[in-house]
mmCIF file of all heavy atoms in Angstrom:
data_model
loop_
_atom_site.group_PDB
_atom_site.id
_atom_site.type_symbol
_atom_site.label_atom_id
_atom_site.label_comp_id
_atom_site.label_asym_id
_atom_site.label_seq_id
_atom_site.Cartn_x
_atom_site.Cartn_y
_atom_site.Cartn_z
ATOM 1 N N THR M 463 77.763 126.797 -133.129
ATOM 2 C CA THR M 463 77.652 126.681 -131.611
ATOM 3 C C THR M 463 78.125 127.975 -130.953
ATOM 4 O O THR M 463 77.552 128.519 -130.089
ATOM 5 C CB THR M 463 78.448 125.484 -131.104
ATOM 6 O OG1 THR M 463 77.900 124.285 -131.727
ATOM 7 C CG2 THR M 463 78.255 125.278 -129.641
ATOM 8 N N VAL M 464 79.333 128.436 -131.377
ATOM 9 C CA VAL M 464 79.860 129.681 -130.718
ATOM 10 C C VAL M 464 78.971 130.876 -131.051
ATOM 11 O O VAL M 464 78.844 131.780 -130.252
ATOM 12 C CB VAL M 464 81.262 129.948 -131.088
ATOM 13 C CG1 VAL M 464 82.212 128.824 -130.546
ATOM 14 C CG2 VAL M 464 81.483 130.044 -132.663
ATOM 15 N N LEU M 465 78.339 130.927 -132.219
ATOM 16 C CA LEU M 465 77.367 131.974 -132.534
ATOM 17 C C LEU M 465 76.227 131.924 -131.685
ATOM 18 O O LEU M 465 75.645 132.909 -131.229
ATOM 19 C CB LEU M 465 77.019 132.005 -134.005
ATOM 20 C CG LEU M 465 78.089 132.571 -134.954
ATOM 21 C CD1 LEU M 465 77.719 132.191 -136.482
ATOM 22 C CD2 LEU M 465 78.302 134.052 -134.817
ATOM 23 N N GLY M 466 75.745 130.697 -131.439
ATOM 24 C CA GLY M 466 74.555 130.501 -130.552
ATOM 25 C C GLY M 466 74.864 131.023 -129.105
ATOM 26 O O GLY M 466 74.097 131.811 -128.507
ATOM 27 N N VAL M 467 76.066 130.726 -128.645
ATOM 28 C CA VAL M 467 76.521 131.281 -127.283
ATOM 29 C C VAL M 467 76.626 132.810 -127.344
ATOM 30 O O VAL M 467 76.333 133.483 -126.382
ATOM 31 C CB VAL M 467 77.849 130.598 -126.902
ATOM 32 C CG1 VAL M 467 78.415 131.148 -125.633
ATOM 33 C CG2 VAL M 467 77.665 129.052 -126.774
ATOM 34 N N ALA M 468 77.068 133.346 -128.599
ATOM 35 C CA ALA M 468 77.213 134.744 -128.666
ATOM 36 C C ALA M 468 75.941 135.493 -128.849
ATOM 37 O O ALA M 468 75.897 136.765 -128.907
ATOM 38 C CB ALA M 468 78.158 135.040 -129.872
ATOM 39 N N GLY M 469 74.776 134.816 -128.919
ATOM 40 C CA GLY M 469 73.535 135.375 -128.932
ATOM 41 C C GLY M 469 73.146 135.867 -130.408
ATOM 42 O O GLY M 469 72.346 136.868 -130.492
ATOM 43 N N VAL M 470 73.518 135.109 -131.411
ATOM 44 C CA VAL M 470 73.110 135.544 -132.669
ATOM 45 C C VAL M 470 71.650 135.517 -132.879
ATOM 46 O O VAL M 470 70.881 134.717 -132.331
ATOM 47 C CB VAL M 470 73.735 134.504 -133.738
ATOM 48 C CG1 VAL M 470 73.113 133.111 -133.657
ATOM 49 C CG2 VAL M 470 73.655 134.990 -135.152
ATOM 50 N N ASN M 471 71.091 136.575 -133.681
ATOM 51 C CA ASN M 471 69.613 136.632 -133.749
ATOM 52 C C ASN M 471 69.063 135.514 -134.551
ATOM 53 O O ASN M 471 67.946 135.009 -134.196
ATOM 54 C CB ASN M 471 69.315 138.031 -134.490
ATOM 55 C CG ASN M 471 69.154 139.167 -133.526
ATOM 56 O OD1 ASN M 471 69.880 139.111 -132.456
ATOM 57 N ND2 ASN M 471 68.389 140.032 -133.686
ATOM 58 N N PHE M 472 69.680 135.127 -135.671
ATOM 59 C CA PHE M 472 69.162 134.134 -136.476
ATOM 60 C C PHE M 472 70.237 133.399 -137.328
ATOM 61 O O PHE M 472 71.313 133.991 -137.571
ATOM 62 C CB PHE M 472 68.044 134.614 -137.439
ATOM 63 C CG PHE M 472 68.478 135.487 -138.557
ATOM 64 C CD1 PHE M 472 68.598 134.923 -139.850
ATOM 65 C CD2 PHE M 472 68.833 136.840 -138.357
ATOM 66 C CE1 PHE M 472 69.020 135.742 -140.872
ATOM 67 C CE2 PHE M 472 69.186 137.627 -139.392
ATOM 68 C CZ PHE M 472 69.329 137.124 -140.642
ATOM 69 N N LEU M 473 69.975 132.183 -137.714
ATOM 70 C CA LEU M 473 70.837 131.438 -138.571
ATOM 71 C C LEU M 473 70.024 131.121 -139.844
ATOM 72 O O LEU M 473 68.856 131.370 -139.915
ATOM 73 C CB LEU M 473 71.246 130.150 -137.919
ATOM 74 C CG LEU M 473 72.146 130.409 -136.609
ATOM 75 C CD1 LEU M 473 72.427 129.122 -135.926
ATOM 76 C CD2 LEU M 473 73.547 131.082 -136.991
ATOM 77 N N ILE M 474 70.738 130.449 -140.796
ATOM 78 C CA ILE M 474 70.044 130.009 -142.038
ATOM 79 C C ILE M 474 70.138 128.482 -142.115
ATOM 80 O O ILE M 474 71.164 127.905 -141.811
ATOM 81 C CB ILE M 474 70.666 130.695 -143.287
ATOM 82 C CG1 ILE M 474 70.370 132.256 -143.151
ATOM 83 C CG2 ILE M 474 70.146 130.105 -144.499
ATOM 84 C CD1 ILE M 474 70.958 133.080 -144.269
ATOM 85 N N ALA M 475 69.031 127.838 -142.635
ATOM 86 C CA ALA M 475 69.135 126.367 -142.806
ATOM 87 C C ALA M 475 68.512 126.069 -144.166
ATOM 88 O O ALA M 475 67.537 126.643 -144.682
ATOM 89 C CB ALA M 475 68.339 125.769 -141.640
ATOM 90 N N VAL M 476 69.067 125.056 -144.784
ATOM 91 C CA VAL M 476 68.660 124.531 -146.037
ATOM 92 C C VAL M 476 68.434 123.029 -146.011
ATOM 93 O O VAL M 476 68.964 122.342 -145.015
ATOM 94 C CB VAL M 476 69.631 124.852 -147.139
ATOM 95 C CG1 VAL M 476 69.908 126.398 -147.182
ATOM 96 C CG2 VAL M 476 70.956 124.159 -147.027
ATOM 97 N N PRO M 477 67.752 122.419 -146.954
ATOM 98 C CA PRO M 477 67.564 120.903 -146.850
ATOM 99 C C PRO M 477 68.857 120.150 -146.851
ATOM 100 O O PRO M 477 69.707 120.366 -147.825
ATOM 101 C CB PRO M 477 66.677 120.703 -148.121
ATOM 102 C CG PRO M 477 65.968 121.972 -148.399
ATOM 103 C CD PRO M 477 66.959 123.022 -148.002
ATOM 104 N N GLY M 478 69.033 119.408 -145.863
ATOM 105 C CA GLY M 478 70.336 118.624 -145.837
ATOM 106 C C GLY M 478 71.563 119.328 -145.801
ATOM 107 O O GLY M 478 72.596 118.742 -146.061
ATOM 108 N N ALA M 479 71.625 120.579 -145.421
ATOM 109 C CA ALA M 479 72.769 121.478 -145.396
ATOM 110 C C ALA M 479 73.383 121.752 -146.744
ATOM 111 O O ALA M 479 74.485 122.282 -146.834
ATOM 112 C CB ALA M 479 73.820 120.862 -144.397
#
Side-chain angles (χ1 to χ4, degrees):
T463 303
V464 294
L465 284 169
V467 174
V470 69
N471 275 32
F472 71 101
L473 298 169
I474 293 179
V476 306

